[in-house]
Amino acid sequence: MTINFFGEKLKAVRKLKGLTQLDLSKKLSVSKGTISAYEQGLSYPSIETLVKICDILDTSSDYLLGISDMLPFKMGGLTDKQIGSVLQFVSLIQQANEIVDRNNSII
């Protein structure tokens, strides 16, 4: 098991929550560069920081670490139409990943 997609998932959830790297860095008491490094996969947070990230972003470590593909955050404040759009987007990503997985297994 790897955490190759940690940075991508962190960035996506951060953006979905409407936070900039600077916003998140202030909430975590780390530098903006640290958040950037996390999102680029250049470094990873400590367990303590990961717990704080999950709390701030209202998501799970399982999702961020790639253990689960479930989007475990609340979509409070979104309209039904917005929630539908998010779920459609996630579905498209899952379908694309399945195609990539099939193509990689064929090669």
Side-chain angles (χ1 to χ4, degrees):
M1 179 181 324
T2 64
I3 54 175
N4 293 338
F5 299 107
F6 174 81
E8 293 173 22
K9 289 182 174 191
L10 174 62
K11 183 177 183 178
V13 175
R14 174 183 57 76
K15 286 186 170 190
L16 188 63
K17 293 296 183 174
L19 297 173
T20 65
Q21 286 182 342
L22 184 60
D23 294 334
L24 183 56
S25 71
K26 287 179 180 179
K27 291 178 181 285
L28 291 171
S29 300
V30 300
S31 72
K32 180 181 174 256
T34 297
I35 301 302
S36 178
Y38 293 163
E39 291 183 358
Q40 293 178 49
L42 300 175
S43 67
Y44 298 99
S46 67
I47 293 173
E48 180 181 327
T49 302
L50 178 61
V51 169
K52 289 179 185 177
I53 289 170
C54 293
D55 186 47
I56 291 165
L57 298 179
D58 194 23
T59 192
S60 77
S61 59
D62 283 358
Y63 177 73
L64 291 177
L65 296 173
I67 296 168
S68 169
D69 287 333
M70 300 296 292
L71 286 171
F73 54 87
K74 299 173 189 158
M75 292 190 262
L78 298 179
T79 65
D80 288 342
K81 185 176 179 180
Q82 290 169 326
I83 291 171
S85 296
V86 169
L87 295 176
Q88 286 176 341
F89 179 70
V90 170
S91 177
L92 288 172
I93 291 172
Q94 288 174 331
Q95 290 172 10
N97 285 339
E98 289 171 7
I99 291 169
V100 168
D101 289 344
R102 280 192 297 248
N103 288 340
N104 285 338
S105 65
I106 293 172
I107 295 176

